[in-house]
Amino acid sequence: MKTHRETERSLCGPALRLPGFPPGEVWLVGAGPGDPGLLTLHAAHALEQADVVVHDALVDEAVLRLARPEAEVIFAGKRGGKPSASQPDITRRLIDLARAGKRVLRLKGGDPFVFGRGAEEARALVAAGVPFRVVPGITAGIGGLAYAGIPATARETNAAIAFVTGHASSGAVPDNVDWTALARSASVLVIYMAVKHLETIVGRLMKGGRSPDEPLAFICSATTARHRVVVSTLGAAVADRDAQGVEAPAIVVVGEVVRLREHLGAWWDPAGLMASGEMDAAAE
Ligand code: SAH
């Protein structure tokens, strides 16, 4: 007998069985960096079933368009300068909606557990006794690099990679990161939320021994119609950020892997895809 937890999907044929979305549950889902094709099957299936979608500012419009037309779509993000929902208000809302019997899709940019406060929300759901599921997503530091033609690792360049945030909840550069140790230990650094405090961050990395000539890239609005890559160096990054008008959201990647872009090229070009119609929805 088929239970409500098992529905068949036509996307990959009858062999694929994905769990149904029971009313009263919250699903904490990663939306990936932007391109809807980077959603997981679980995420796409959840969008088709959810009664309510509560999303962050980073979730691309092209992804939100995949929600059911009847679904209520609630923006719960933080947008620079404007008053935004507080974290306790967001979790309270998720809990209330679930208790009202809704299928609640909490959609977060990238992966919900990578610098996305998903852990805090999951803990609040556990404390409230609300059943939930976590659906990982492709984080911007992986998907964005790939679309920029920068491999996260390559045998000739790095055996380690570190994901770092350049922005603590206080708003400052996190002081629980040992930047000197990081500079010495991880040959490739993928830094989230680094645009604002770039000067401090690159300063600490160079102080920790990294060369000013080391390649660095900004990957802005990765995998969306606004996708843009600016290649620089550690020493020139601040000047290039200002001269080129680099804006958040952006991933900053530091390390020799950036040079591999010269070989891979800009294989993913949103302008070309728009011409072909593939990115029409995202460009609207
Ligand atoms: N959970 C998200 C990260 C949230 S923190 C993830 O896994 O990707 C917010 C930061 O993520 C942004 O400031 C930026 O550094 C990065 N980011 C998220 N989406 C991005 C995108 N499409 N392009 C570039 N950077 C992105």
Side-chain angles (χ1 to χ4, degrees):
M1 199 183 74
K2 200 156 91 177
T3 69
H4 73 286
R5 285 199 148 268
E6 247 177 25
T7 49
E8 285 179 10
R9 290 274 301 148
S10 57
L11 198 56
C12 293
L16 179 69
R17 298 181 129 224
L18 294 171
F21 199 152
E25 281 197 6
V26 176
W27 284 18
L28 206 50
V29 176
D35 178 356
L38 297 179
L39 287 166
T40 61
L41 292 170
H42 277 310
H45 193 38
L47 275 160
E48 285 177 352
Q49 300 176 83
D51 300 310
V52 190
V53 178
V54 183
H55 70 95
D56 285 349
L58 278 174
V59 176
D60 201 68
E61 273 293 313
V63 170
L64 290 174
R65 271 192 218 111
L66 303 178
R68 284 193 308 135
E70 309 79 46
E72 187 188 352
V73 178
I74 301 173
F75 172 69
K78 298 179 175 58
R79 262 183 197 139
K82 297 199 186 135
S84 50
S86 73
Q87 194 62 45
D89 286 349
I90 297 170
T91 38
R92 166 94 341 245
R93 188 140 193 203
L94 298 176
I95 292 164
D96 289 347
L97 287 164
R99 288 191 176 148
K102 306 279 189 197
R103 298 172 182 85
V104 187
L105 174 49
R106 175 63 171 129
L107 199 54
K108 288 175 164 285
D111 180 276
F113 284 169
V114 177
F115 306 131
R117 307 189 76 165
E120 288 160 60
E121 295 181 13
R123 282 170 67 173
L125 296 171
V126 172
V130 171
F132 69 96
R133 169 181 277 266
V134 181
V135 178
I138 296 185
T139 187
I142 295 287
L145 261 66
Y147 273 41
I150 301 172
T153 75
R155 265 210 306 196
E156 68 267 38
T157 56
N158 62 313
I161 181 164
F163 294 92
V164 192
T165 174
H167 198 100
S169 52
S170 64
V173 175
D175 48 19
N176 58 351
V177 172
D178 181 340
W179 293 92
T180 301
L182 199 64
R184 291 191 183 140
S185 55
S187 40
V188 171
L189 301 166
V190 176
I191 316 175
Y192 293 66
M193 295 177 272
V195 175
K196 190 169 165 202
H197 298 306
L198 190 67
E199 199 158 356
T200 309
I201 293 166
V202 296
R204 287 187 189 175
L205 292 174
M206 289 190 287
K207 210 168 149 219
R210 302 292 279 248
S211 160
D213 297 329
E214 196 172 340
L216 173 152
F218 299 96
I219 310 167
C220 311
S221 295
T223 87
T224 74
R226 302 168 302 285
H227 176 94
R228 186 174 164 224
V229 182
V230 174
V231 176
S232 179
T233 59
L234 260 186
V238 174
D240 283 342
R241 174 197 63 188
D242 298 342
Q244 307 260 359
V246 166
E247 282 181 0
I251 288 290
V252 172
V253 51
V254 181
E256 289 301 318
V257 281
V258 172
R259 284 193 216 282
L260 297 176
R261 181 173 154 82
E262 287 162 24
H263 303 286
L264 300 186
W267 71 266
W268 193 75
D269 169 17
L273 294 175
M274 272 183 266
S276 75
E278 189 178 320
M279 287 294 284
D280 272 357
E284 272 166 24

